[in-house]
Amino acid sequence: VLGAIDCTHISIIAPVVEEHNYLNRKGYHSKNVQIICDADLLILNINSRYPGAVHDSFIYRNSVIHEELRHRYNAGDTNNWLLGDSGYPQQPWLMTPIVNAAPGTPEFIYTETRTFEKRYRKERKLRYDPVTVGKIVTSCAVLHNLCMKGGLQMDINIRAELPEHVEVQHMDDFNNGFDARRQLIARYFA
């Protein structure tokens, strides 16, 4: 497992330009920031370009990470995965929860990117334009990694929250993803 992927909404003031694009499904203005972290909570990748109205799976589908993982998989690298919640498509390189799994079915637990959000969220809303907010969030990711590598632990209670159920969007890799998950379960849990 390379890492866990998720998006988090960073609350911002209503921007002057294209305000409607920043109004998220929860009813407030935000940037939707995609973060990939490893098992040690180091941030491997961050994408802070998208407004709050953009769905997590859209950000992922249009990311360099998605293209790189697809390319590696097609080149024969079939033993590396990201873990994501049900907002992401099941793919051979992206494992998502089994919907309505039978009792006793192995399930994975992944680290929430909310950890990063909890470290820096003191003010509830960033009062800058969206471009500046993206730079602030990316800078905070760098500081987070420096703190983690320097042994400065977070003074917060890290507890995984259950993600809201989101319909998975179908992609051409959807069925191959389910096959890959079945093979993974058979290999490690059978």
Side-chain angles (χ1 to χ4, degrees):
V1 174
L2 300 172
I5 183 171
D6 202 2
C7 286
T8 186
H9 287 273
I10 305 298
S11 182
I12 64 173
I13 59 171
V16 176
V17 178
E18 297 187 18
E19 176 269 341
H20 64 283
N21 289 330
Y22 292 88
L23 191 61
N24 66 32
R25 62 185 169 79
K26 296 181 180 186
Y28 63 91
H29 295 90
S30 67
K31 297 263 315 215
N32 196 3
V33 179
Q34 177 179 278
I35 300 174
I36 299 173
C37 66
D38 68 11
D40 296 321
L41 300 181
L42 285 174
I43 296 172
L44 305 175
N45 179 270
I46 187 164
N47 185 340
S48 59
R49 295 185 319 216
Y50 289 92
V54 176
H55 193 276
D56 297 4
S57 64
F58 178 87
I59 296 171
Y60 166 71
R61 273 195 328 267
N62 290 284
S63 71
V64 173
I65 297 299
H66 175 255
E67 287 308 312
E68 179 65 21
L69 290 173
R70 176 194 295 270
H71 172 74
R72 286 182 179 201
Y73 181 81
N74 289 336
D77 184 0
T78 60
N79 290 318
N80 290 300
W81 305 278
L82 285 179
L83 304 180
D85 65 21
S86 60
Y88 292 95
Q90 176 66 40
Q91 296 178 316
W93 54 86
L94 176 60
M95 296 293 116
T96 60
I98 299 171
V99 179
N100 299 323
T105 302
E107 51 183 281
F108 58 81
I109 299 171
Y110 64 95
T111 305
E112 291 282 341
T113 57
R114 310 277 184 269
T115 302
F116 166 75
E117 185 179 347
K118 290 175 184 176
R119 180 187 285 271
Y120 291 101
R121 182 176 278 185
K122 303 296 182 212
E123 168 74 23
R124 299 309 289 171
K125 186 180 292 191
L126 290 177
R127 302 183 184 286
Y128 301 95
D129 65 274
V131 172
T132 302
V133 168
K135 291 176 183 177
I136 290 170
V137 169
T138 301
S139 297
C140 288
V142 171
L143 291 172
H144 168 83
N145 280 353
L146 288 171
C147 289
M148 296 302 288
K149 288 181 179 180
L152 298 173
Q153 297 301 315
M154 293 175 283
D155 188 22
I156 58 173
N157 182 13
I158 303 171
R159 195 172 143 234
E161 302 168 11
L162 293 176
E164 292 181 30
H165 175 70
V166 179
E167 284 294 319
V168 176
Q169 297 191 6
H170 293 277
M171 295 176 56
D172 47 349
D173 302 309
F174 193 71
N175 289 329
N176 287 339
F178 284 111
D179 291 340
R181 180 168 60 195
R182 279 192 286 279
Q183 291 172 14
L184 195 64
I185 290 170
R187 185 182 322 156
Y188 293 104
F189 299 103

